[in-house]
């Protein structure tokens, strides 16, 4: 464990330790190759896939409005995908380019989180390497370490492991130590359910599995509190700097239990399906403001220090919180 990681920069301290909802918010972004790309995602109104040049302009406006924490997802063209997501660790990918540009421009005033999973880079859409029809755990972890280290090298504040393989936090922390990355954080999606609320995201990231599902690694939706607490405490002891519960609204009770059971900061992911439901049923801005405010307060009350939400930008620019 490196206790200093969450204290390293002003933006990290504000995100993790300030109790205010405003400073707790993290905005997700989808990064694609090309120039001038600003492509709406039909199931997620207000959220676009963007090339690096457009993303930089978007985040520049966000920063001016007081939205300082950003989570980046790499979306790859089909021809860049292969069975092991090898392009995901390429230092010239749009994601790596974006990390470098943003850290160069904003330094410690921005928090960059980068998603770590094989699913957006594999041609079969699964979160790991497939052998004999199974997602191999330990071999997948080796690929995750390679991709994670490439994010660290580019300057990511927090590698955000959303893959749900066993043992990856320990391996990542070990490798970061070995290579001298003592200030790179690890946010672990510790308690991530095999949820039906990820549908719009998989459209956005073009990451749906071609066959089968994610139930051999993501948690069973029927699972009770003990497994959730076990997963979170395990990642805590493996050296995670932030622990996450995901999805948010259907698992507020789990969030509360986990927050009470760990001593590290806890994040919640207000996922794409939750976002789309709110957008679909609250087209009126004033009505949406009330609904989103209520949702954010429920996360805080249930113990979240950090809230990852597609509503972040609108909530901050419209002064809803
Ligand atoms: C990658 C990943 C997913 C989400 C975040 N990281 C999709 C999945 O697990 O299928 C979902 C986010 C959302 O629905 O907003 N593994």
């Amino acid at each position: 464990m490196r206790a200093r990681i969450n204290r390293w920069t002003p933006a990290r301290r504000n995100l993790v330790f300030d109790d205010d909802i405003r400073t707790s918010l993290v905005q997700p972004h989808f990064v694609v190759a090309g120039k001038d790309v600003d492509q709406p995602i039909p199931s997620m109104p207000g959220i676009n896939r963007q090339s690096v040049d457009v993303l930089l302009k978007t985040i520049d406006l966000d920063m001016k409005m007081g939205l300082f924490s950003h989570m980046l997802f790499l979306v790859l063209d089909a021809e860049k995908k292969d069975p092991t997501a090898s392009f995901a660790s390429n230092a010239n990918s749009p994601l790596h380019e974006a990390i470098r540009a943003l850290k160069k421009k904003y330094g410690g005033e921005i928090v960059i989180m980068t998603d770590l999973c094989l699913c957006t880079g594999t041609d079969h859409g699964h979160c790991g390497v497939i052998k004999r029809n199974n997602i191999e755990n330990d071999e997948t972890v080796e690929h995750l370490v390679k991709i994670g280290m490439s994010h660290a090298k580019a300057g990511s504040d927090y590698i955000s492991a959303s893959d749900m393989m066993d043992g990856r936090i320990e391996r990542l922390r070990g490798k970061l130590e070995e290579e001298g990355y003592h200030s790179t954080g690890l946010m672990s999606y510790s308690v991530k359910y095999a949820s039906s609320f990820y549908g719009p995201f998989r459209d956005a990231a073009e990451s749906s599995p071609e066959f089968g599902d994610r139930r051999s690694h993501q948690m069973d939706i029927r699972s009770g509190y003990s497994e959730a607490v076990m997963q979170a405490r395990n990642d805590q002891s493996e050296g995670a700097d932030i622990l996450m519960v995901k999805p948010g609204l259907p698992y507020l009770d789990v969030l509360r239990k986990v927050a009470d059971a760990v001593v590290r900061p806890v994040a919640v992911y207000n996922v794409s399906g939750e976002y789309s439901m709110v957008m679909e049923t609250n087209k009126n801005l004033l009505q949406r403001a009330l609904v989103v405010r209520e949702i954010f307060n429920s996360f805080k009350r249930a113990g979240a220090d950090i809230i990852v939400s597609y509503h972040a930008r609108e909530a901050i620019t419209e002064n809803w919180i």
Side-chain angles (χ1 to χ4, degrees):
M1 189 183 91
R2 290 256 170 201
R4 287 184 59 199
I5 284 174
N6 291 333
R7 304 173 196 147
W8 208 266
T9 66
R12 289 189 197 179
R13 294 193 293 276
N14 290 341
L15 172 68
V16 175
F17 301 113
D18 193 323
D19 221 24
D20 207 24
I21 289 176
R22 250 185 116 80
T23 51
S24 307
L25 294 174
V26 179
Q27 174 72 42
H29 303 266
F30 298 98
V31 194
V32 294
K35 249 192 154 13
D36 257 342
V37 182
D38 197 4
Q39 183 182 41
I41 300 157
S43 53
M44 301 176 72
I47 306 294
N48 292 6
R49 296 192 197 100
Q50 300 184 321
S51 52
V52 177
D53 54 331
V54 179
L55 176 81
L56 295 180
K57 286 183 204 144
T58 304
I59 292 185
D60 196 49
L61 278 176
D62 290 343
M63 295 292 286
K64 291 195 173 103
M65 298 305 296
L67 176 52
F68 301 116
S69 300
H70 302 274
M71 179 180 278
L72 308 184
F73 291 91
L74 176 62
V75 183
L76 289 179
D77 299 332
E79 78 263 16
K80 288 276 194 294
K81 299 188 183 191
D82 65 19
T84 59
S86 56
F87 193 74
S89 57
N90 189 315
N92 297 318
S93 90
L95 177 83
H96 295 77
E97 199 190 314
I99 305 170
R100 284 191 298 270
L102 290 165
K103 288 311 283 187
K104 185 167 174 216
K105 182 151 188 206
Y106 305 106
E109 304 302 321
I110 194 168
V111 176
I112 300 290
M113 299 172 152
T114 48
D115 186 69
L116 175 61
C117 184
L118 262 53
C119 67
T120 55
T122 50
D123 47 10
H124 45 67
H126 279 291
C127 305
V129 178
I130 309 240
K131 286 255 168 86
R132 294 176 297 274
N133 270 324
N134 278 309
I135 299 173
E136 284 279 320
N137 194 87
D138 296 9
E139 198 178 324
T140 299
V141 171
E142 295 315 305
H143 290 282
L144 291 168
V145 168
K146 188 167 173 221
I147 301 167
M149 291 309 293
S150 74
H151 293 183
K153 199 165 174 195
S156 176
D157 286 281
Y158 291 94
I159 299 165
S160 305
S162 68
D163 53 279
M164 289 298 279
M165 295 298 122
D166 290 327
R168 84 280 206 223
I169 296 300
E170 185 174 32
R171 283 283 292 121
L172 279 162
R173 175 59 72 215
K175 194 73 177 167
L176 288 169
E177 285 295 310
E178 211 178 290
E179 306 223 342
Y181 290 94
H182 298 158
S183 63
T184 305
L186 292 174
M187 176 160 78
S188 179
Y189 288 56
S190 305
V191 184
K192 175 174 176 178
Y193 289 88
S195 171
S196 298
F197 284 82
Y198 307 147
F201 173 96
R202 291 181 191 168
D203 290 345
E206 287 158 3
S207 66
S208 288
E210 261 182 1
F211 56 90
D213 53 44
R214 308 224 197 280
R215 285 181 293 179
S216 82
H217 51 295
Q218 298 179 352
M219 287 169 62
D220 193 295
I221 59 160
R222 298 163 296 187
S223 174
Y225 301 135
S226 55
E227 192 186 27
V229 167
M230 180 270 288
Q231 292 272 184
R233 283 189 177 153
N234 183 57
D235 285 343
Q236 174 172 278
S237 64
E238 286 189 21
D241 304 285
I242 300 171
L243 306 164
M244 184 188 278
V245 174
K246 175 187 173 184
L249 287 174
Y251 298 93
L252 283 175
D253 55 333
V254 175
L255 174 60
R256 180 75 264 165
K257 292 279 182 194
V258 167
D260 287 344
V262 299
V263 293
R264 304 254 70 197
V266 174
V268 66
Y269 201 137
N270 180 212
V271 301
S272 57
E274 301 170 52
Y275 174 78
S276 299
M277 283 197 306
V278 168
M279 297 304 283
E280 186 58 34
T281 52
N282 298 279
K283 304 245 152 94
N284 174 293
L285 206 64
L286 288 177
Q287 180 61 29
R288 190 151 82 233
L290 297 174
V291 168
V292 170
R293 191 138 57 114
E294 195 169 338
I295 291 171
F296 285 172
N297 274 286
S298 78
F299 292 145
K300 274 281 162 189
R301 195 167 54 239
D305 301 292
I306 294 165
I307 301 168
V308 183
S309 175
Y310 303 96
H311 295 295
R313 174 177 304 116
E314 197 173 42
I316 284 181
T317 50
E318 298 288 332
N319 257 318
W320 289 349
I321 27 109

